[in-house]
């Protein structure tokens, strides 16, 4: 798994580090795999990593990854946006639909 970091910015207002990188793989990586890989690379907890984008083009084995590494889980919960499909999972897990 080759990767090349193209951008790394510290955003103190939101308490996160914004990462942009390219990843070479044969198939599209899952968000969980990308979170684990970024956590290992930056010595962080996978729960503090939020993947914003995994984008690939047809026929190309290179994927653009955009992710945020938060300082702690509280900052991730406060500033990290929750995708619509994940919101639905939280509602159904709570017993209501």
């Amino acid at each position: 798994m080759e990767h090349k970091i193209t951008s790394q910015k510290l955003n103190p207002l939101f308490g996160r580090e914004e990462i942009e990188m390219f990843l070479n793989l044969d198939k599209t990586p899952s968000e969980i795999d990308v979170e684990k890989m970024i956590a290992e690379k930056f010595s962080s907890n996978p729960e503090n990593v939020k993947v914003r984008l995994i984008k690939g083009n047809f026929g190309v084995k290179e994927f653009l990854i955009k992710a945020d590494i938060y300082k702690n889980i509280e900052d991730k919960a406060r500033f990290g946006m929750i995708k619509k499909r994940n919101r639905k999972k939280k509602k159904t897990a709570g017993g209501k639909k």
Side-chain angles (χ1 to χ4, degrees):
M1 185 182 324
E2 276 185 49
H3 60 275
K4 184 175 99 176
I5 298 170
T6 56
S7 173
Q8 184 176 354
K9 298 176 190 171
L10 183 64
N11 191 338
L13 181 63
F14 293 115
R16 68 183 179 202
E17 192 171 349
E18 299 170 354
I19 308 292
E20 193 171 302
M21 62 192 300
F22 284 100
L23 186 65
N24 290 326
L25 285 174
D26 291 333
K27 62 179 186 172
T28 306
S30 68
E31 286 187 19
I32 295 169
D33 293 338
V34 172
E35 285 175 357
K36 288 179 184 176
M37 191 258 320
I38 290 174
E40 287 176 13
K41 174 76 177 158
F42 292 95
S43 303
S44 178
N45 188 353
E47 294 176 352
N48 295 344
V49 178
K50 173 69 177 148
V51 177
R52 289 189 293 143
L53 176 73
I54 300 175
K55 183 178 179 184
N57 290 328
F58 182 76
V60 180
K61 297 179 181 181
E62 187 173 68
F63 298 93
L64 172 66
I65 309 288
K66 291 185 179 182
D68 298 328
I69 304 172
Y70 290 90
K71 292 180 182 177
N72 51 43
I73 290 186
E74 291 81 24
D75 286 343
K76 182 180 177 183
R78 189 168 34 167
F79 298 118
M81 294 183 63
I82 300 173
K83 292 182 180 178
K84 202 174 208 179
R85 67 175 179 234
N86 293 341
R87 262 188 260 153
K88 289 180 182 178
K89 287 180 186 177
K90 279 187 176 181
K91 285 183 182 179
T92 56
K96 292 185 176 180
K97 287 187 177 181

